């Protein structure tokens, strides 16, 4: 997925070569440590639809006030 390497690092997940079936299978079957699961949820909230809409709303408000 384009942009994935910019969002995912070893604190929130694992990026593997999608053409390497074994690497994909291993990544899917790996158990994530509790800290990684929490960090992944926190990072996902920053890129949620709600967060993006809030950011866009802020940009529009700035433009209207200018």
């Amino acid at each position: 997925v384009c942009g994935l390497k910019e969002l995912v690092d070893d604190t929130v997940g694992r990026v593997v070569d999608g053409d390497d079936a074994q690497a994909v299978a291993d990544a899917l079957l790996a158990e994530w440590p509790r800290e990684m699961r929490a960090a992944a949820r926190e990072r996902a909230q920053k890129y949620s639809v709600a967060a993006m809409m809030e950011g866009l709303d802020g940009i529009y408000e700035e433009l209207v006030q200018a």
Side-chain angles (χ1 to χ4, degrees):
V1 176
C2 294
L4 189 58
K5 289 182 181 179
E6 288 76 21
L7 296 176
V8 177
D9 58 30
D10 57 356
T11 65
V12 296
R14 185 181 304 169
V15 176
V16 298
D17 181 358
D19 293 327
D20 183 344
Q22 187 62 52
V24 172
D26 291 343
L28 290 171
L29 294 172
E31 187 169 335
W32 288 17
R34 181 174 300 227
E35 306 82 36
M36 186 181 284
R37 292 191 305 254
R41 276 192 290 280
E42 185 177 322
R43 173 112 15 125
Q45 288 175 352
K46 292 179 184 179
Y47 294 95
S48 69
V49 172
M52 286 190 270
M53 294 303 293
E54 186 176 316
L56 244 140
D57 191 45
I59 291 170
Y60 290 150
E61 284 183 31
E62 285 180 31
L63 291 171
V64 168
Q65 293 175 3

